[in-house]
Amino acid sequence: MSARTVSHLRKGEKGVIKSFTDRGMSLKLLEMGCLPGCEVRLDAIAPFGDPICINVGGSYCLSLRLNEAAVIELE
Amino acid sequence: MKLGNIKVALVGNPNAGKSTLFNALTGLRQKTGNFPGVTVEKKSGTFKLPGQNGQQETAAIIVDLPGTYSIYPKSRDETVVMDILANPAHPDFPDVVVVVADASNLQRNLLLFTEISDLGLPCVLALNMLDVATSMNLTVNAVQLAMKLNVPVVRINARTGEGLSGLKEAVRQMAERVDKPALAYFYEPKGNEIQLIADVKRMYALDNDYVALQYVCQHDNFSFLETPARVALDKLIEKHDFDENGFLAAETVARYEKIKPIVSKSVKSAGITEQPYWTRKLDSVLLHPFWGYVTFAAVLILIFQAIFSWATYPSDLLDAGIAATIEWTKGILPEGFLNDLITDGIMAGLGGILVFIPPIAILFALVSILEESGYMARVMVIMDKLMRKFGLNGRSVVPLISGVACAVPAIMTTRSISSRYERLLTILVTPLMSCSARLPIYTILIALVVPPTKVLGVLNVQGLVLFGLYSLGLIGALATAWILSLFIPRKEPGYFMLEMPSYKLPRWGHVAFTMYDSVKSFVFEAGKVIMAISIILWVLSSYGPGDEMEKAEAAVTSSMPQASEEQVNAAISSVRLEHSYAGHFGHFIEPVIKPLGYDWKIGIALLASFAAREVFVGTMATIYSISGDFEDVPTVKERLIKEKNPETGGAMFTPAVCYSLLIFYVFAMMCMSTIAVVQRETHGWKWPLIQLAYLMVLAYVSAFVVYQVMS
Ligand SMILES: Nc1nc2c(ncn2[C@@H]2O[C@H](COP(=O)(O)OP(=O)(O)OP(=O)(O)O)[C@@H](O)[C@H]2O)c(=O)[nH]1
Ligand SMILES: [Mg+2]
């Protein structure tokens, strides 16, 4: 079974970021404050299930597409 | 201390409040909005720095820059920042950088600060959004932060102007500082980076390690580096076997390792940190899978109702007032050439568009409320999936929505779309959104053919038809994007990743100013064009080749011996127009537009509106006031209703003709400024010409189909 990622979270569920599987996207995510060890929570799901909004470390809300969320592996 | 004006640059994360601060300092009105990516190019202004103990104030130049999360640009707008900061020869190269940080999310905002600081630029850190931080149960200790980061920290509120004097004082002190303390880098280079940095520093005579690293990583973005320099840098990278992507990620992580302990020392959280209460509550509805769409649709319908219902009263008053003014002017000016030029030419043309001030003001105010509240960012989220199906991006919603006001600034906002492909598609389809210049045409024609009845008690049918036309524009835009996406190859995947700002109450003063500004530019910018065109048109329609007009006039007079003087006069002005230069132009293109149901008079207006669509209604007003000889001056609408079709004897503006014109203007790209801005944004004539061609074909074919089916 492949690792659990942010795209697997259900609404309201939390997770802790472990690593990223895509290099290009990981830089952008890091710059936006998604760091390994950071807690995220799925806050909202847009109509048709994509994009999703996650709360990053309690400090702000980040919206990303499911394929972008699938890059973020959880612990 | 340095001579001349002190130069200050505003740098910070998107939506941190830089433009708001810029406006507060300079008194200018740079566009602000509560979503990331509002500012897409640099903008300069001046402000006064206080003098030290009673000395003279000094002027400072300040540039507002697009927001970035780091100094590594990810989209077109962000490249501006490093192009200035890495190049001391740049005219905007700052003496002091004010890093504006959103205090409610300090850790992430400090990433950019540490990068700027490492570039060796004198910095001042401005902590903004402290009120938002407070509502998230956060308190920031500025003194502690200043000590740990070794930089002056000032608490401000860009919205209310609090703390600005402290900020100015800090900027002045930083600019006057004579000693340059040794830089304590936040990021320390490791491994092969050290030797590479040494080589680059020697080659380009640089004294800063981090600037040298930027030469390595970003030389392709630096417009100030020549090709040989870029090639030499590529060679160095190869020589040292430098892995750029690996380095960038490692650098960012290392910076956060430095920042984390500093933030945890200086930011205290009372209880749980959460987004502000209202933001969470609103998002649970506005981002809801079902209610999210319902509210969005409701918002849109409200906008169209507002434009139609609320704006009617002031518009009708204006219309009557203008007609009365023209009549009054006709009466007091001595009869003759000048009187005709002023009343039939200029005043008729201008009056034709002045009545549209109320709906345009309302439209701009509502779009500005959408932007200022933070709702725009939510619309991007709920629309992303849909947009993606058409090759666009959720962010394309901003240009599409602001395209309803005007396509020119809307096309500029596409700079924040990171994928070039999605940006190009967005640019190509934005002109399909019905801009405010089309509103006069829609309003007049709808009023001619749609009865002002209500359905379901509240919804105005005219408003619904207007809504239909705007929807048609949107559908056209999406369909075109989809078709284009089949032909234009996509090179890189696009991404979305958007920060959701907390909701903010719009600043009503700001909304009022946006309204005032849009009306002002509508009246003056469009006014200039309309005035010029009205005069040209009036001349062209008052004179004809040789004595053709006189001959035609004589023929009419002799053919109508029994008619009353009034009838003869009406017939005369009509044949005179027909034989004037303008009439010849109209007749020249008549064969082309006949299948769409238009006669040569509409043809003249159509030709004139190539300069700008606003001109259409003004031109119609001018043409009909020249060709008709009315006892008292009617409003534009009355003139159009009275116009007869010479072939059928019935009304000229039948539903078929009106709908055909409406559809034509939904699709036609008739705006020089739009063509010019597309040329600038795509760096060439290829795309604007393709765009012009397909939109014209689309407009012609659809208008043709509508006319042929309806008549
Ligand atoms: N509550 C609060 N809101 C603020 C403050 N400063 C700015 N704002 C609001 O924050 C929003 C963003 O402000 P802008 O000035 O457009 O932000 P910017 O940094 O220029 O953003 P970009 O141009 O997108 O990079 C606006 O709605 C402002 O009214 C502040 O101190 N407190
Ligand atoms: Mg800005």
Side-chain angles (χ1 to χ4, degrees), chain B residues 656-672:
Chain B
V657 170
C658 288
Y659 279 108
S660 161
L661 268 176
L662 283 171
I663 301 298
F664 185 83
Y665 275 99
V666 168
F667 294 127
M669 177 152 167
M670 293 192 139
C671 176
M672 297 291 183

Side-chain angles (χ1 to χ4, degrees), chain B residues 166-200:
Chain B
L167 179 65
K168 288 181 189 170
E169 183 59 32
V171 168
R172 189 183 56 82
Q173 281 177 11
M174 187 52 74
E176 286 175 355
R177 197 179 60 176
V178 264
D179 57 320
K180 213 177 165 202
L183 191 60
Y185 289 105
F186 284 93
Y187 175 75
E188 283 139 26
K190 317 180 180 35
N192 60 353
E193 292 156 33
I194 299 169
Q195 200 47 49
L196 177 61
I197 289 173
D199 282 358
V200 175

Side-chain angles (χ1 to χ4, degrees), chain A residues 11 44-48, chain B residues 281-300 375 378-383 503:
Chain A
K11 199 165 165 184
I45 304 170
F48 307 125
Chain B
K281 282 282 161 247
L282 279 171
D283 273 348
S284 67
V285 177
L286 298 178
L287 288 175
H288 189 273
F290 175 71
W291 294 113
Y293 271 172
V294 172
T295 35
F296 184 46
V299 166
L300 291 183
Y375 185 52
R378 275 68 187 183
V379 177
M380 294 186 221
V381 173
I382 62 174
M383 297 301 282
Y503 289 98

Side-chain angles (χ1 to χ4, degrees), chain B residues 88-162:
Chain B
H90 196 286
D92 291 317
F93 186 77
D95 302 304
V96 179
V97 177
V98 173
V99 180
V100 183
D102 174 349
S104 69
N105 189 2
L106 200 55
Q107 175 172 305
R108 196 201 60 207
N109 277 257
L110 286 183
L111 174 72
L112 179 65
F113 164 76
T114 64
E115 291 174 341
I116 304 283
S117 168
D118 279 0
L119 288 173
L121 298 162
C123 293
V124 172
L125 183 63
L127 286 183
N128 195 30
M129 304 269 183
L130 285 156
D131 51 332
V132 180
T134 308
S135 70
M136 291 170 66
N137 300 325
L138 294 171
T139 42
V140 184
N141 183 337
V143 178
Q144 176 78 255
L145 200 61
M147 253 160 51
K148 296 272 177 210
L149 294 172
N150 192 21
V151 67
V153 177
V154 192
R155 305 168 65 97
I156 62 164
N157 183 329
R159 239 167 107 117
T160 59
E162 271 166 73

